[in-house]
Amino acid sequence: MKNKTNFPPQEGEARPSRCPDNSAFKQQRLPAWKPQLNIATVLSSFFLTGAFCLTVGVCLVLSANSVREVQIDYSDKCSDCSKFRGNSSNWNKECHCSVNFTLKEDILGDVFMYYGLQNFYQNHRRYVISRSDAQLLGRNVNIQRSYCAPFTTYRNGTPMAPCGAIANSMFNDTIDLFYNRNSSVIQVPLLRTGNSWWTDKNVKFRNPESYNLSSAFAGTARPPYWQKPVYLLDEEDERNTGYVNDDFIIWMRVSAFATFRNLYRRVKRVRHFADGLPAGNYTFRISYNFPVSKFKGRKHVILSTVVWSGGSNPFLGIAYVVSGTAATLAGFVITAIHLKLRKKKTYFQRQ
């Protein structure tokens, strides 16, 4: 074996170059555009940004304020049912209450009914992950390996369908709306379907394949806080029961805040309600099943319209107004500083 020794280059020999190739890319000679900032450019950008944000913000705020909304808190008005539900031995018994209210003006257009919960924290990490997405897709999976615990199986080994804390705590009050017209009482027709996102209804949730749902869910049991099994969530519409039930799908999309509202129903625009809800006396008849006293919560029913920007939520408009105001004020501050410095510069030049 011959040892190879690196000797320094002898005099007259060319040294290897470590410089990059003499190309436009490696020598950073590519054409580029560099903005030349001056006072006119900076001030115009601030004022244009401020004007744009203020215009959009004012439009969004005015649009949100044009939404017609009626909110009814029935936590105290159904206090007897709340105490009744506080006793766990009454889980299989029904309790009903009524809440009367008056619409002084017509609510025209599409009317949406929401239920609202206050002080209900859905953003806890253990609560958010307590579900089995594979099970909700209709697959036969071992839920013991999921994050559904402790709502996976009963003591006798019967698996829960659906499993998890989110499904177990599903809002299950039944709310009906009645219109008191003269001496007659007319039930307002409400739409149960078409309230969830299309991707949820058709992609994320599927029922197990079988010739009927009762056989598909054979060998499973309802969650502990439910009053009926999942395949009976909507006994009137087979396309709206099981895992593809709209109420269930909407509840499974958890909220980031402790106070939130979920879409419950839409008013069907027929007969007396073809143009919306007419002014007059109304009654909510509620089957009270969802207790909130243990976590000091509140429950609401909201009737609302929507506009091009959505529902009654002025947050985005206010954010635009604040941003536009800040940009405009910054422009004025920069203008004042520029004028002051230019005045000093002119003074020293004269001296």
Side-chain angles (χ1 to χ4, degrees), residues 198-271:
W198 185 92
T199 51
D200 288 348
K201 185 83 170 181
N202 297 277
V203 179
K204 295 184 179 181
F205 293 82
R206 299 276 183 84
N207 283 325
E209 294 183 1
S210 181
Y211 64 93
N212 61 42
L213 278 183
S214 60
S215 62
F217 288 98
T220 64
R222 58 175 176 78
Y225 290 172
W226 285 29
Q227 296 178 332
K228 52 187 177 182
V230 64
Y231 57 86
L232 294 178
L233 286 179
D234 190 345
E235 302 180 41
E236 300 177 1
D237 189 354
E238 294 181 354
R239 297 170 299 178
N240 188 45
T241 192
Y243 294 151
V244 295
N245 177 260
D246 274 32
D247 293 339
F248 174 70
I249 291 174
I250 291 172
W251 178 260
M252 293 300 291
R253 184 176 288 276
V254 297
S255 172
F257 301 99
T259 300
F260 61 93
R261 63 175 64 178
N262 285 335
L263 181 60
Y264 182 68
R265 296 288 184 268
R266 291 177 294 127
V267 174
K268 188 176 182 180
R269 298 176 64 176
V270 294
R271 295 181 296 173

Side-chain angles (χ1 to χ4, degrees), residues 80-120:
D80 293 338
C81 285
S82 178
K83 295 177 183 178
F84 182 82
R85 285 291 171 224
N87 188 350
S88 59
S89 62
N90 298 324
W91 69 270
N92 60 344
K93 300 178 183 178
E94 294 185 356
C95 186
H96 301 273
C97 61
S98 298
V99 179
N100 300 319
F101 67 99
T102 301
L103 289 181
K104 297 181 180 179
E105 298 179 357
D106 297 344
I107 300 182
L108 302 177
D110 295 328
V111 182
F112 298 81
M113 179 188 294
Y114 301 82
Y115 63 84
L117 291 177
Q118 183 177 342
N119 206 36
F120 189 94

Side-chain angles (χ1 to χ4, degrees), residues 147-320:
Y147 295 101
C148 289
F151 301 101
T152 51
T153 59
Y154 286 92
R155 293 182 179 179
N156 60 1
T158 304
M160 299 181 189
C163 70
I166 307 176
N168 183 60
S169 61
M170 176 181 169
F171 182 86
N172 57 351
D173 281 0
T174 302
I175 307 171
D176 294 316
L177 180 61
F178 293 86
Y179 174 45
N180 304 316
R181 185 172 182 266
N182 298 329
S183 58
S184 60
V185 178
I186 303 172
Q187 184 171 3
V188 179
L190 301 174
L191 297 173
R192 296 171 174 265
T193 58
N195 302 322
S196 60
W197 291 14
W198 185 92
T199 51
D200 288 348
K201 185 83 170 181
N202 297 277
V203 179
K204 295 184 179 181
F205 293 82
R206 299 276 183 84
N207 283 325
E209 294 183 1
S210 181
Y211 64 93
N212 61 42
L213 278 183
S214 60
S215 62
F217 288 98
T220 64
R222 58 175 176 78
Y225 290 172
W226 285 29
Q227 296 178 332
K228 52 187 177 182
V230 64
Y231 57 86
L232 294 178
L233 286 179
D234 190 345
E235 302 180 41
E236 300 177 1
D237 189 354
E238 294 181 354
R239 297 170 299 178
N240 188 45
T241 192
Y243 294 151
V244 295
N245 177 260
D246 274 32
D247 293 339
F248 174 70
I249 291 174
I250 291 172
W251 178 260
M252 293 300 291
R253 184 176 288 276
V254 297
S255 172
F257 301 99
T259 300
F260 61 93
R261 63 175 64 178
N262 285 335
L263 181 60
Y264 182 68
R265 296 288 184 268
R266 291 177 294 127
V267 174
K268 188 176 182 180
R269 298 176 64 176
V270 294
R271 295 181 296 173
H272 304 289
F273 314 101
D275 297 325
L277 291 179
N281 298 320
Y282 289 83
T283 301
F284 282 123
R285 293 183 185 176
I286 301 167
S287 178
Y288 198 104
N289 301 309
F290 193 86
V292 295
S293 57
K294 290 185 178 180
F295 57 87
K296 298 180 181 179
R298 311 285 299 181
K299 293 193 291 186
H300 308 83
V301 184
I302 302 104
L303 295 173
S304 176
T305 60
V306 295
V307 292
W308 62 271
S309 60
S312 178
N313 187 2
F315 173 79
L316 184 60
I318 294 175
Y320 266 102

